[in-house]
Amino acid sequence: MKMVKISIIGTGYVGLVTGSCFASYGNEVICADVDSDRIKNLSKGVLPFYEPGLSELCLKHSNDGTLTFTSDIKYAIEQSDIVFITVGTPTNNYGQMDLSYVYEAVDNIGEYLNQQKIIVVKSTIPAGTTRKLITYLEKKYGLILGLNYKMFSNPEFLRQGTAVYDCLNPERIVIGSNDLSQENELVDVYQSFSDKIINTSYESSEMIKNTANAFLAMKISFINDIASICEQVGADVVHVAEGIGSDQRIGKHFLKAGVGYGGSCFPKDTEDLCTLAGKNNHDFKLLKAVIETNDRQPLLLINKMLQTFGELKGKQITILGLSFKPDTSDIRNAPSIKLIEQLLLLDADINVFDPVALNSIKGIFDERIKYYSNHYDAVANSDACIIITEWNEIVESDINTLVENMKHPIIFDGRNCLNYEYMKTVDIQYHCMGRNSIYNYKLETESIETVKL
């Protein structure tokens, strides 16, 4: 592969992972961001989030000179052959992706374009957006596709927690363009990563990203609804998931019942796809049901707690795990947030533990809850604990030590991550998702009306 000069506009999750991985193949990479404080920290080796292996990769290539950081967007664009747009596209109040950061990046490119360049949109965007960007560049800056620049849609498929591996070992690389030939400059850039390249149109490329996430979200909500039925009929959702997941037409992945999905991708992409469908006169009822199921999952745990205690006022409740999944500090749309909000409304006293996300959650709830860096300390004298994120230290806990520290040995496992058979041998009350509860510990309570789902 020919080494090229690459600029990455946006130093968020996708930008830093992509830039570091391109640098690992010897390309000269400039990661640029308008946030000067973030750039200063990155230049010192301080990352704005936790992702396994990324800090080491950034440090390695910063030291060898293949990866640099700047807040000078003009410099980054002028010095590069290829410009990747990796800015965020959060959901706005109307259920649509906010594309303002994308257009801001395009404005910078339009203003500072000093020679023919390749522009790659890696940010997640709705179908039809890339062509709108091309029209925008022509009308505002007089730039002509094919003459002044070439543009590609190139969605990312990075899983938080394994993003570096995913970037270096992609299952597929999707390249959308106005030319469906199998040879283009972006294919050459990706040759060292993989030969599993899908060349398609702009619109298909954009749809592939959103559709993949919506389908995976659907599998999660489906198994969560099945879990609710399993609880009523006495079935075990773990066994059910194993049984149906063994069918190769279905597959075993994303069939783990729990408190629902979160993060920056699934919630945003499902909402946006519903909005896109509505704009094109299609009522996407299936996807709306997926979202509705996910929204109510954390409330199921609240109801289990109310059924157990009668009321939660003054009860000390410990939440173990805050990030939306293990091995990331990301709390965007994390089920823990909705759970904490509901517990505060019910006047519970809340302790929280997470190995990397404490500062992030503190930015939301400040001193209204208590923060612990050790999960055994967090559960001390608690009336109950709730497992929201299946971090290894939680899954591998010494259960006897855990419950001995608690006022009442009552655990609500929102991820079904503890050893169910072992729980049967412990003096404990253990509630999970889609499985029969274990009542080896009795607690006398009065019933109370549960929250509305």
Side-chain angles (χ1 to χ4, degrees):
M1 180 185 80
K2 177 184 176 182
M3 300 301 109
V4 294
K5 295 181 178 180
I6 295 171
S7 63
I8 308 286
I9 308 300
T11 59
Y13 185 81
V14 175
L16 284 180
V17 173
T18 302
S20 298
C21 289
F22 272 123
S24 70
Y25 281 108
N27 297 291
E28 294 181 25
V29 180
I30 304 171
C31 285
D33 201 295
V34 295
D35 187 339
S36 58
D37 288 336
R38 173 172 288 201
I39 292 299
K40 289 177 182 176
N41 285 330
L42 286 170
S43 299
K44 298 175 184 176
V46 180
L47 272 62
F49 54 83
Y50 172 76
E51 175 64 32
L54 182 58
S55 180
E56 295 84 350
L57 198 63
C58 283
L59 182 61
K60 175 182 178 181
H61 297 299
S62 293
N63 289 337
D64 67 23
T66 56
L67 180 65
T68 58
F69 304 98
T70 183
S71 57
D72 188 341
I73 306 298
K74 179 177 183 292
Y75 169 81
I77 293 171
E78 289 180 344
Q79 294 298 312
S80 59
D81 304 310
I82 303 177
V83 181
F84 279 84
I85 298 175
T86 61
V87 296
T89 53
T91 302
N92 61 24
N93 294 331
Y94 304 100
Q96 300 171 294
M97 289 186 195
D98 180 356
L99 300 177
S100 59
Y101 300 117
V102 173
Y103 276 91
E104 182 180 339
V106 169
D107 275 325
N108 286 325
I109 294 170
E111 185 174 353
Y112 302 133
L113 195 71
N114 58 334
Q115 62 187 42
Q116 189 184 72
K117 295 185 187 294
I118 297 170
I119 303 171
V120 184
V121 184
K122 189 167 275 293
S123 300
T124 301
I125 53 178
T129 302
T130 304
R131 291 195 190 275
K132 291 178 181 178
L133 296 176
I134 292 169
T135 301
Y136 181 80
L137 282 171
E138 181 176 357
K139 287 184 175 180
K140 186 170 182 179
Y141 297 97
L143 300 176
I144 307 301
L145 180 69
L147 177 62
N148 304 111
Y149 69 96
K150 295 183 180 180
M151 182 173 284
F152 298 97
S153 166
N154 175 222
E156 54 85 16
F157 301 97
L158 305 179
R159 298 169 297 173
Q160 286 172 270
T162 59
V164 172
Y165 176 87
D166 291 343
C167 191
L168 293 173
N169 304 275
E171 293 181 328
R172 78 286 203 196
I173 295 168
V174 176
I175 299 175
S177 69
N178 64 329
D179 179 4
L180 301 187
S181 66
Q182 300 301 303
E183 302 266 345
N184 59 56
E185 293 89 343
L186 203 53
V187 169
D188 294 338
V189 172
Y190 274 118
Q191 279 181 345
S192 296
F193 290 79
S194 175
D195 59 359
K196 303 170 186 174
I197 295 176
I198 300 171
N199 284 283
T200 186
S201 67
Y202 292 131
E203 291 80 7
S204 296
S205 172
E206 293 157 342
M207 279 293 291
I208 286 169
K209 167 66 176 180
N210 289 349
T211 303
N213 283 345
F215 186 83
L216 297 176
M218 180 186 67
K219 289 187 73 174
I220 294 171
S221 284
F222 178 82
I223 200 63
N224 282 335
D225 270 336
I226 292 299
S228 294
I229 301 172
C230 284
E231 289 186 16
Q232 299 303 314
V233 302
D236 187 322
V237 72
V238 174
H239 296 165
V240 172
E242 181 183 9
I244 65 173
S246 298
D247 187 327
Q248 63 180 358
R249 297 170 300 174
I250 298 173
K252 64 182 180 179
H253 299 295
F254 293 88
L255 287 178
K256 190 173 181 180
V259 289
Y261 58 78
S264 62
C265 293
F266 286 9
K268 177 181 69 175
D269 292 354
T270 51
E271 288 280 0
D272 185 74
L273 197 51
C274 277
T275 301
L276 180 67
K279 285 184 174 181
N280 289 276
N281 302 312
H282 178 74
D283 186 6
F284 207 153
K285 294 180 180 179
L286 175 60
L287 199 52
K288 288 178 180 177
V290 168
I291 296 169
E292 181 183 345
T293 291
N294 195 66
D295 286 343
R296 73 166 181 257
Q297 282 306 109
L299 299 181
L300 294 179
L301 276 180
I302 295 289
N303 281 344
K304 288 175 184 285
M305 297 179 71
L306 289 172
Q307 290 163 359
T308 299
F309 289 105
E311 66 174 350
L312 298 180
K313 183 177 182 179
K315 294 291 188 294
Q316 183 168 303
I317 308 298
T318 296
I319 297 175
L320 301 181
L322 301 169
S323 57
F324 86 94
K325 64 179 289 188
D327 296 320
T328 179
S329 58
D330 197 344
I331 62 167
R332 286 176 290 182
N333 300 295
S336 61
I337 295 176
K338 181 176 287 188
L339 194 70
I340 292 171
E341 289 172 343
Q342 289 295 321
L343 289 172
L344 288 173
L345 288 174
L346 294 169
D347 292 325
D349 297 324
I350 304 169
N351 300 337
V352 298
F353 159 80
D354 191 281
V356 298
L358 288 180
N359 288 335
S360 298
I361 211 76
K362 192 171 185 178
I364 299 176
F365 295 105
D366 50 66
E367 302 305 318
R368 289 179 288 169
I369 61 180
K370 296 179 180 178
Y371 306 88
Y372 291 85
S373 57
N374 180 289
H375 64 297
Y376 293 113
D377 293 338
V379 300
N381 298 314
S382 291
D383 292 287
C385 77
I386 311 170
I387 299 174
I388 297 297
T389 315
E390 61 276 36
W391 287 95
N392 282 339
E393 47 259 77
I394 296 173
V395 176
E396 298 171 0
S397 296
D398 183 319
I399 299 301
N400 291 310
T401 301
L402 195 72
V403 299
E404 284 172 3
N405 285 357
M406 299 174 66
K407 179 179 180 180
H408 297 297
I410 302 175
I411 296 177
F412 296 86
D413 188 349
R415 295 298 181 185
N416 291 348
C417 62
L418 300 184
N419 187 317
Y420 186 72
E421 294 304 315
Y422 183 77
M423 292 299 130
K424 294 178 181 179
T425 69
V426 182
D427 183 16
I428 195 173
Q429 194 173 124
Y430 180 63
H431 304 275
C432 15
M433 310 294 286
R435 316 182 85 172
N436 290 331
S437 294
I438 297 171
Y439 291 97
N440 291 341
Y441 171 81
K442 302 298 181 182
L443 181 70
E444 298 297 329
T445 61
E446 297 179 2
S447 62
I448 192 172
E449 184 178 351
T450 55
V451 297
K452 185 177 181 181
L453 298 177

